[in-house]
């Protein structure tokens, strides 16, 4: 596998860090999660199957679990020894915490100059908001994502996806892989400052016209991506279900409107989104209300147009297409796991679907680092680990 031989020490919790290190584990990296004394919080968040939360299952598979008290001298010394053996360290504390603990990049780089050290935080390590506490919703709100996620009542709606968390995960994943590649060439590691807000804002490439070109916030219902384009919109059907048109290229408008007998509306789809396209939107709204979703599915099947039914999450993830793409995996207990999206032809991922119990690998790892049984017993008595 592509990351075989890479060893990762992950101190992060919840979603961004654990998700991206799990992706590394799926592709062969050895990922060691250093859990706090109370364990990874998501072990106990949300619904459970066979004693494990579904969330935990989808960020922690294939990892090792250790516990070290970094506020104890013995625990910290063991952490330093472990850092000599790893390629990557990931942490997601509030800025300043790793410095106070004495486990920051500058300290660890003296122990292991080849180390790639990745810090993930809400707002980054610099700037006036660096110490502000925040999770995904706060970041989305503060970055404009909640404002543009408006319902038809023009009020901001609760986001359906943790995009700040996941953007941070993917940016960290990409950055760490780049740093590892460069380290192979230079023999030097590096430090990554990953901000969830930076990562989210970087995803705005296709919606920044109004802010950049006209120094204004967009009006979501008038913009191409959020309801202003007739061919990029959500429509209700006669049976109170919904479908989407998801391609505003003129060829798709021609194909659909011709099939519906309204060629006269095609030219309006060349105009800017918003009021100019309102007649097309109104026609499509009334037309789609005339038939059920199944009827429209049969009608649209032979028309070259971007469209899709609005599916429930449960229905969508069990779709045969995703099953054939191996995006649903079953472990030995019959539990479902989300699959691996990065698919190589050569050396594909081989996800290990087992989940570690809390701190199950601590003693074995300490022994690997050269600690004797008596040393380990002494460390336990000194509260260096649980």
């Amino acid at each position: 596998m592509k990351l075989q031989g890479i060893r990762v020490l992950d101190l992060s919790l919840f979603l961004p860090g654990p998700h991206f290190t799990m992706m590394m584990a799926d592709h062969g990296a050895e990922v060691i999660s250093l859990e706090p004394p109370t364990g990874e919080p998501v072990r106990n968040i949300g619904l459970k199957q066979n004693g494990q939360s579904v969330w935990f299952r989808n960020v922690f598979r294939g990892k090792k679990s250790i516990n070290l008290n970094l506020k104890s001298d013995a625990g910290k010394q063991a952490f330093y020894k472990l850092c000599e053996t790893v390629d990557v360290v990931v942490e997601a504390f509030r800025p300043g915490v790793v410095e106070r603990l004495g486990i920051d990049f500058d300290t660890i780089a003296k122990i292991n100059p080849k180390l790639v050290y990745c810090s993930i935080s809400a707002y980054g390590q610099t700037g006036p908001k660096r110490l502000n506490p925040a999770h995904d919703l706060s970041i989305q709100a503060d970055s404009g994502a909640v404002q543009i996620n408006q319902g038809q009542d023009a009020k901001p709606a609760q986001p359906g996806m943790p995009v700040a968390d996941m953007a941070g995960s993917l940016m960290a994943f990409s950055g760490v892989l780049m740093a590892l590649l460069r380290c192979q060439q230079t023999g030097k590691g590096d430090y990554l400052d990953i901000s969830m807000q930076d990562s989210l804002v970087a995803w705005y490439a296709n919606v920044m016209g109004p802010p950049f070109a006209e120094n204004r916030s967009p009006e979501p219902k008038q913009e191409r991506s959020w309801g202003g384009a007739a061919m990029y919109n959500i429509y209700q059907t006669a049976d109170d279900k919904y479908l989407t048109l998801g391609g505003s290229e003129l060829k798709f408008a021609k194909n659909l409107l011709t099939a519906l007998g309204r060629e006269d509306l095609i030219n309006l789809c060349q105009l800017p989104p918003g009021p100019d396209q309102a007649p097309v939107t109104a026609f499509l709204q009334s037309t789609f209300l005339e038939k059920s979703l199944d009827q429209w599915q049969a009608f649209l099947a032979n028309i070259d147009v971007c469209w899709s039914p609005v599916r429930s999450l449960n229905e969508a993830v069990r779709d045969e297409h995703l099953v054939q793409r191996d995006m649903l995996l079953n472990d030995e207990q019959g539990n479902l796991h989300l699959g691996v999206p990065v698919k190589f032809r050569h050396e594909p991922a081989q996800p290990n679907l087992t989940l570690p119990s809390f701190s199950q690998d601590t003693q074995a790892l300490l022994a690997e680092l050269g600690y004797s049984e008596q040393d380990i017993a002494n460390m336990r008595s000194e509260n260096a680990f649980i």
Side-chain angles (χ1 to χ4, degrees):
M1 288 184 282
K2 302 298 185 185
L3 297 180
Q4 190 168 359
I6 299 295
R7 185 177 240 192
V8 180
L9 177 57
D10 186 5
L11 285 67
S12 66
L13 304 172
F14 292 106
L15 193 53
H19 179 263
F20 107 74
T21 59
M22 184 197 69
M23 290 192 288
M24 295 188 75
D26 285 345
H27 289 277
E30 178 189 6
V31 179
I32 303 164
S33 178
L34 198 165
E35 298 190 61
T38 54
E40 161 66 71
V42 305
R43 284 182 180 270
N44 297 302
I45 296 178
L47 296 177
K48 292 184 177 182
Q49 284 180 296
N50 297 312
Q52 300 285 5
S53 80
V54 175
W55 182 346
F56 180 72
R57 185 193 310 158
N58 282 304
V59 296
F60 225 84
R61 65 183 179 223
K63 298 181 182 181
K64 295 179 177 179
S65 171
I66 65 170
N67 167 246
L68 293 173
N69 180 3
L70 298 178
K71 294 182 179 179
S72 74
D73 183 64
K76 189 177 296 183
Q77 291 304 315
F79 179 84
Y80 291 155
K81 278 183 172 288
L82 182 56
C83 285
E84 293 176 10
T85 73
V86 303
D87 303 284
V88 179
V89 168
V90 180
E91 66 90 8
F93 298 110
R94 203 177 300 190
V97 170
V98 291
E99 285 81 5
R100 291 196 294 274
L101 290 173
I103 59 169
D104 55 290
F105 171 70
D106 290 336
T107 299
I108 304 304
K110 295 175 184 176
I111 299 170
N112 183 353
K114 293 184 177 181
L115 187 77
V116 174
Y117 192 113
C118 178
S119 293
I120 305 174
S121 61
Y123 289 102
Q125 303 297 309
T126 60
K129 295 181 180 179
R130 59 187 290 270
L131 297 180
N132 288 12
H135 285 295
D136 181 87
L137 179 59
S138 298
I139 294 297
Q140 290 205 50
D142 200 26
S143 306
V146 171
Q147 191 275 330
I148 59 179
N149 189 49
Q150 292 182 7
Q152 290 301 306
D153 58 3
K155 295 180 180 180
Q158 186 90 4
M161 287 292 293
V163 292
D165 280 342
M166 299 312 290
S169 170
L170 295 177
M171 293 298 184
F173 190 26
S174 300
V176 164
L177 295 181
M178 284 190 280
L180 287 172
L181 178 63
R182 188 60 171 164
C183 183
Q184 290 181 351
Q185 299 167 338
T186 66
K188 293 182 179 180
D190 207 343
Y191 176 75
L192 284 81
D193 170 9
I194 299 293
S195 155
M196 290 163 54
Q197 185 180 50
D198 292 352
S199 302
L200 175 59
V201 170
W203 280 12
Y204 289 171
N206 67 319
V207 299
M208 290 304 295
F212 281 4
E214 298 179 347
N215 193 29
R216 64 173 178 86
S217 294
E219 299 177 48
K221 289 194 290 185
Q222 305 300 332
E223 303 296 336
R224 176 186 180 278
S225 297
W226 304 313
M231 294 295 297
Y232 204 88
N233 222 318
I234 303 171
Y235 295 98
Q236 187 174 357
T237 58
D239 51 349
D240 290 328
K241 296 182 180 180
Y242 294 86
L243 61 81
T244 63
L245 297 178
S248 54
E249 295 93 327
L250 188 60
K251 64 179 181 179
F252 295 133
K254 287 181 178 178
N255 293 340
L256 178 61
L257 292 172
T258 298
L260 294 172
R262 289 302 304 268
E263 295 94 332
D264 58 301
L265 295 176
I266 293 173
N267 288 337
L268 294 182
C269 295
Q270 299 183 77
L271 300 177
D276 290 335
Q277 292 196 23
V280 187
T281 302
F283 165 71
L284 293 173
Q285 286 174 335
S286 61
T287 300
F288 284 124
L289 279 171
E290 294 174 357
K291 297 179 182 179
S292 69
L293 181 59
D294 285 345
Q295 289 174 310
W296 284 117
Q297 184 159 350
F299 177 83
L300 294 168
N302 297 316
I303 300 173
D304 185 26
V305 60
C306 292
W307 85 280
S308 179
V310 175
R311 299 177 184 234
S312 70
L313 180 60
N314 188 46
E315 178 188 11
V317 297
R318 285 174 163 78
D319 184 80
E320 180 59 28
H321 180 81
L322 288 178
V323 171
Q324 289 193 20
R325 295 281 299 168
D326 294 324
M327 285 307 296
L328 287 185
L329 306 175
N330 281 279
D331 62 26
E332 292 181 353
Q333 295 177 302
N335 299 316
L336 287 172
H337 297 246
L338 292 174
V340 182
V342 181
K343 293 175 167 61
F344 292 106
R345 175 175 294 182
H346 305 294
E347 299 179 305
Q350 298 178 30
N352 176 357
L353 303 184
T354 59
L355 298 174
S357 59
F358 171 71
S359 195
Q360 73 171 35
D361 302 293
T362 301
Q363 295 189 57
L365 201 56
L366 289 172
E368 179 189 317
L369 295 174
Y371 287 86
S372 68
E373 290 186 11
Q374 187 59 53
D375 292 334
I376 294 172
N378 292 339
M379 289 179 67
R380 187 187 293 276
S381 67
E382 297 170 11
N383 296 318
F385 66 92
I386 296 176

